[in-house]
Amino acid sequence: MAPSTRLSTSIGHRLLKLYRDLTPGQAKYHAREKYRWLRYTLRSAKRRARPLAVEIETNNSCTRTCSYCPRPPNDSTVLPEPLFRAVIDDLADWGFRGRISPHGYNEPLSDKRLPRLLEYVSTQLSHSPIVVFSNGDLLTRPVVEQLSQVGVTGFKLSVHEGSSAPQVNALHAFGSRYDRVSVSDYREDHRTEPMFNRGGLIAIDTPRHRQRCFDVEVAVVRANGDVVLCVNDPQKQHVMGNVGERVAAGSTTPFRDIWLEPSFVALRERIHAGDFELEICRNCSYGS
């Protein structure tokens, strides 16, 4: 990443940390959703064709079994590295500049290939922020520093039920030490972020009526290569295509083939407008 980009990224992280520290959880969420709506609305038609972010699940391993996470148990699926690179190469050729995150319903730090994979992202997508979402169980100072050196611009750590006091303190220590590290708390008595029901799969106390949803603008590639509807489709109810199958068929644009499929584009537009024709959307507590 260029020096000027790194400087602006550092300043952005400091402002974001200040905003997170001073803003209550629900207000923070609504502000973020309004920002997403404005950002989407102001994008040109050409730029709007690209996703705001791409989340790539490099494996399906996790260190926890949280009651509010509907990830499938005992799934050892690993995304092949050539397929990961094919997706990144496709995005680079497309001129993508949005966020890249190596996660889905997994703990990304459990993948020992992560430094190498993210270094490749940094090389191919030099203008894209790389943000690692983690529960922090495997995080150490050497890990933060190694991943930062290969191009990671942000770490979003989450505190979950069952975390011991030393674990919680360690995560907040990372947040205090590094500008690029932020910490969110999902424990019932300490919650700083609202909970979501994952398309109706999880019972929550405060379901909300939604008018529209822009989270379908975050592309999700699962560890088996499936591109699913959105981040709140953990059980892959709506698979739009598989990047591995596209590569096997000889495509050099495996991700774009799926993302720009006219039926998928039209579905996203209807969801933006609040036409929740799919049951998963009608049941979901996400959106705005």
Side-chain angles (χ1 to χ4, degrees), residues 66-238:
C66 298
S67 62
Y68 41 80
C69 178
R71 62 179 298 274
N74 303 319
D75 187 340
S76 57
T77 305
V78 175
L79 185 72
E81 188 166 342
L83 191 52
F84 178 90
R85 289 174 177 251
V87 172
I88 298 302
D89 290 344
D90 187 6
L91 293 171
D93 183 65
W94 198 13
F96 177 76
R97 293 190 173 204
R99 170 176 61 84
I100 294 288
S101 290
H103 78 276
Y105 285 86
N106 67 323
E107 170 47 52
L109 298 183
S110 67
D111 191 337
K112 301 301 182 184
R113 306 171 300 167
L114 199 61
R116 184 171 69 250
L117 297 177
L118 297 186
E119 185 173 24
Y120 189 76
V121 174
S122 182
T123 299
Q124 297 297 99
L125 297 169
S126 60
H127 295 285
S128 288
I130 304 173
V131 181
V132 174
F133 289 71
S134 170
N135 60 31
D137 286 352
L138 303 176
L139 195 66
T140 62
R141 284 177 54 183
V143 168
V144 172
E145 290 165 7
Q146 180 188 24
L147 292 179
S148 298
Q149 288 173 0
V150 301
V152 172
T153 56
F155 296 83
K156 293 190 175 182
L157 309 183
S158 51
V159 180
H160 295 286
E161 297 291 352
S163 297
S164 66
Q167 287 175 315
V168 175
N169 292 337
L171 294 187
H172 284 291
F174 281 118
S176 299
R177 181 179 181 86
Y178 299 99
D179 288 335
R180 67 188 63 206
V181 176
S182 62
V183 182
S184 297
D185 200 323
Y186 291 93
R187 295 174 299 166
E188 185 173 355
D189 296 333
H190 304 80
R191 191 167 297 158
T192 61
E193 297 282 345
M195 300 293 287
F196 304 107
N197 68 1
R198 300 304 184 191
L201 294 175
I202 304 298
I204 62 172
D205 296 332
T206 55
R208 296 178 299 107
H209 174 70
R210 296 158 303 115
Q211 297 178 336
R212 57 183 179 265
C213 181
F214 289 91
D215 228 53
V216 285
E217 288 308 312
V218 176
V220 179
V221 181
R222 300 299 299 274
N224 68 341
D226 283 343
V227 176
V228 297
L229 175 66
C230 73
V231 298
N232 285 298
D233 188 5
Q235 295 186 347
K236 296 185 281 191
Q237 297 178 47
H238 299 280

Side-chain angles (χ1 to χ4, degrees), residues 32-88:
R32 183 167 65 239
E33 290 304 298
K34 295 299 182 186
Y35 168 73
R36 285 179 174 175
W37 173 83
L38 182 63
R39 184 180 176 186
Y40 177 81
T41 302
L42 295 179
R43 295 167 84 199
S44 66
K46 182 178 180 180
R47 291 187 61 207
R48 196 179 295 179
R50 304 184 183 103
L52 292 173
V54 178
E55 299 181 348
I56 306 174
E57 186 181 65
T58 66
N59 67 12
N60 201 37
S61 176
C62 190
T63 57
R64 298 199 174 214
T65 54
C66 298
S67 62
Y68 41 80
C69 178
R71 62 179 298 274
N74 303 319
D75 187 340
S76 57
T77 305
V78 175
L79 185 72
E81 188 166 342
L83 191 52
F84 178 90
R85 289 174 177 251
V87 172
I88 298 302

Side-chain angles (χ1 to χ4, degrees), residues 11-37:
I11 294 173
H13 280 303
R14 294 186 184 188
L15 292 174
L16 188 58
K17 284 174 70 69
L18 182 63
Y19 157 74
R20 284 183 173 137
D21 289 343
L22 298 180
T23 310
Q26 286 289 344
K28 186 164 38 182
Y29 168 74
H30 289 298
R32 183 167 65 239
E33 290 304 298
K34 295 299 182 186
Y35 168 73
R36 285 179 174 175
W37 173 83

